[in-house]
């Protein structure tokens, strides 16, 4: 990635990596409140319609637990606030949610597994107070492996992540699976308004709880790990999406990651979503007519 950010002052970098300051809909504090409200209401509408299997362990850590959600109607329902966007993907089998004390949640769909990782920058910082970047990445990889092991009949894995969650989903793509007992069959990845190079945030508030060194940032930057992607361009489809009103740095992160993937022959497309900001781009996943929803369903062969 180009090193344009090195010329920026700290306050400008922090503005660039503060998504709420770039919304055209409302003031920064208001857009966050509206996002929280939308997430809460979406979850409340979805709550109560599913049978659940809760706190199934996928690791030895206290927070390494897996929740299974089995819809009792044609509508997907989930409990946690961060799980609500995927409720749209109805008329398909089982849903699972995996969460740790450190990580955004992972939602998986059976028999074609759909993994959803969501985290805002603020959530990222809060979670990092409890651990470190290496551990976060390790746990999200472990949770994916556990889902595949427990449901060995699945025919493929689809990843989706938003914001810092897109970073974690991209790190799953960059996994050296020889270190694990299985190699998941990843058929697609849907990366929304993500961060793919951690070096620019080293001098910002985001790194204050993380205390990442340059070495840690590099080994956890998907854009630096593209050479080790072992995905077949014929079987794994990657969509890199960015909001029209994301900050210039967020937009550049997506553009550079897309171009780097493309240069290695990956099956990747980029979606610049008009009339959206960092929050509305993911909030609209409840709308079946939303462009990204149609793309996601098409990727999974459900359109």
């Amino acid at each position: 990635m180009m090193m344009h950010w090195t010329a920026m002052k700290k306050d400008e970098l922090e503005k660039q990596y503060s998504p709420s300051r770039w919304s055209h809909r409302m003031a920064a504090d208001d857009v966050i409140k509206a996002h929280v409200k939308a997430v809460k209401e979406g979850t409340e509408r979805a709550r109560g319609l599913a049978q659940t299997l809760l706190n199934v362990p996928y690791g030895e850590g206290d927070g390494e637990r897996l929740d299974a959600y089995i819809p009792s109607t044609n509508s997907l329902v989930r409990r946690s606030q961060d799980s609500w966007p995927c409720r749209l993907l109805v008329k398909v089998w089982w849903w699972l949610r995996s969460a740790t004390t450190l990580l955004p949640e992972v939602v998986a769909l059976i028999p074609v597994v759909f993994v959803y990782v969501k985290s805002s920058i603020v959530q990222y910082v809060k979670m990092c107070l409890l651990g470190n970047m290496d551990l976060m990445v390790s746990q999200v990889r472990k949770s994916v492996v556990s889902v595949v092991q427990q449901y060995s009949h699945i025919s493929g894995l689809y990843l989706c992540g938003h914001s810092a969650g897109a970073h974690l989903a991209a790190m799953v793509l960059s996994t050296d699976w020889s270190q694990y007992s299985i190699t998941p069959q990843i058929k697609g990845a849907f990366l929304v308004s993500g961060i793919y190079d951690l070096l620019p945030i080293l001098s910002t508030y985001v790194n204050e709880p993380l205390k990442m060194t340059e070495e840690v940032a590099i080994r956890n930057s998907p854009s630096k790990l593209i050479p080790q992607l072992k995905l077949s361009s014929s079987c794994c489809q990657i969509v890199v999406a960015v909001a029209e009103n994301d900050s210039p740095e967020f937009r550049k992160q997506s553009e550079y990651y897309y171009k780097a993937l493309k240069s290695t022959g990956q099956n990747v497309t980029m979606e610049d979503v008009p009339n959206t900001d960092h929050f509305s781009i993911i909030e609209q996943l409840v709308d079946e007519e939303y462009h990204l929803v149609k793309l996601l369903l098409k990727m999974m062969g459900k359109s």
Side-chain angles (χ1 to χ4, degrees):
M1 179 176 291
M2 294 173 57
M3 301 292 285
H4 59 275
W5 51 267
T6 57
M8 291 187 189
K9 295 181 179 180
K10 180 180 178 181
D11 57 347
E12 176 58 25
L13 265 178
E14 292 195 340
K15 178 182 178 182
Q16 290 286 331
Y17 288 96
S18 299
S20 62
R21 299 175 68 178
W22 297 89
S23 174
H24 291 191
R25 293 183 293 149
M26 56 191 78
D29 289 345
D30 292 335
V31 77
I32 292 176
K33 291 177 182 177
H35 182 63
V36 171
K37 183 175 184 289
V39 170
K40 183 178 180 180
E41 290 178 352
T43 300
E44 289 175 349
R45 288 195 301 268
R47 200 172 285 172
L49 298 178
Q51 303 175 45
T52 59
L53 300 173
L54 306 179
N55 298 316
V56 180
Y58 69 80
E60 296 180 357
D62 291 339
E64 297 178 349
R65 296 292 184 269
L66 180 72
D67 292 354
Y69 290 77
I70 309 168
S72 54
T73 72
N74 285 335
S75 297
L76 169 68
V77 179
R78 296 155 326 158
R79 174 177 59 92
S80 171
Q81 288 189 7
D82 283 340
S83 66
W84 69 278
C86 295
R87 69 186 178 85
L88 168 72
L89 300 178
V90 299
K91 300 178 183 177
V92 282
W93 310 283
W94 283 28
W95 292 82
L96 301 175
R97 168 185 162 271
S98 165
T100 74
T101 54
L102 303 179
L103 296 175
E105 61 194 358
V106 177
V107 181
L109 169 67
I110 307 298
V112 178
V113 177
F114 177 80
V115 176
Y116 177 75
V117 187
K118 181 180 185 298
S119 175
S120 68
I121 292 295
V122 173
Q123 289 170 317
Y124 217 30
V125 171
K126 288 181 179 178
M127 289 183 294
C128 292
L129 287 170
L130 302 174
N132 59 64
M133 185 59 68
D134 288 325
L135 181 58
M136 291 175 68
V137 170
S138 174
Q139 286 193 315
V140 77
R141 288 168 170 166
K142 186 192 301 182
S143 67
V144 169
V145 169
S146 177
V147 168
V148 177
Q149 287 176 327
Q150 292 186 52
Y151 300 93
S152 58
H153 62 287
I154 61 177
S155 59
L157 179 72
Y158 293 84
L159 306 174
C160 180
H162 170 244
S163 193
H167 161 254
L168 292 174
M171 287 300 294
V172 173
L173 287 180
S174 303
T175 303
D176 178 1
W177 295 110
S178 66
Q179 301 178 26
Y180 296 83
S181 57
I182 62 170
T183 300
Q185 184 182 0
I186 300 176
K187 290 189 173 183
F190 212 79
L191 310 175
V192 183
S193 292
I195 298 175
Y196 310 104
D197 183 352
L198 300 184
L199 288 175
I201 69 174
L202 287 179
S203 62
T204 71
Y205 72 95
V206 180
N207 194 41
E208 291 176 3
L210 279 169
K211 296 180 172 57
M212 280 191 299
T213 63
E214 182 173 330
E215 180 183 8
V216 172
I218 289 174
R219 70 169 172 257
N220 288 290
S221 290
S223 65
K224 309 294 185 184
L225 303 175
I226 288 176
Q228 72 186 50
L229 261 69
K230 306 237 188 302
L231 302 174
S232 167
S233 59
S234 63
C235 70
C236 182
Q237 180 182 356
I238 303 172
V239 173
V240 178
V242 65
E244 178 184 7
N245 295 317
D246 262 319
S247 74
E249 276 297 293
F250 266 88
R251 291 178 57 81
K252 288 175 182 176
Q253 287 258 358
S254 293
E255 180 183 357
Y256 294 154
Y257 188 55
Y258 159 72
K259 289 182 176 179
L261 288 170
K262 192 73 173 178
S263 69
T264 64
Q266 300 297 331
N267 180 4
V268 58
T269 58
M270 183 168 179
E271 298 293 330
D272 192 341
V273 188
N275 303 315
T276 57
D277 58 35
H278 192 80
F279 304 96
S280 63
I281 191 174
I282 201 72
E283 291 169 357
Q284 293 182 60
L285 284 187
V286 296
D287 181 1
E288 294 189 29
E289 298 303 314
Y290 181 39
H291 176 59
L292 291 188
V293 168
K294 291 181 178 180
L295 282 180
L296 184 56
L297 291 173
K298 183 177 180 180
M299 175 189 287
M300 298 176 67
K302 302 303 171 190
S303 60

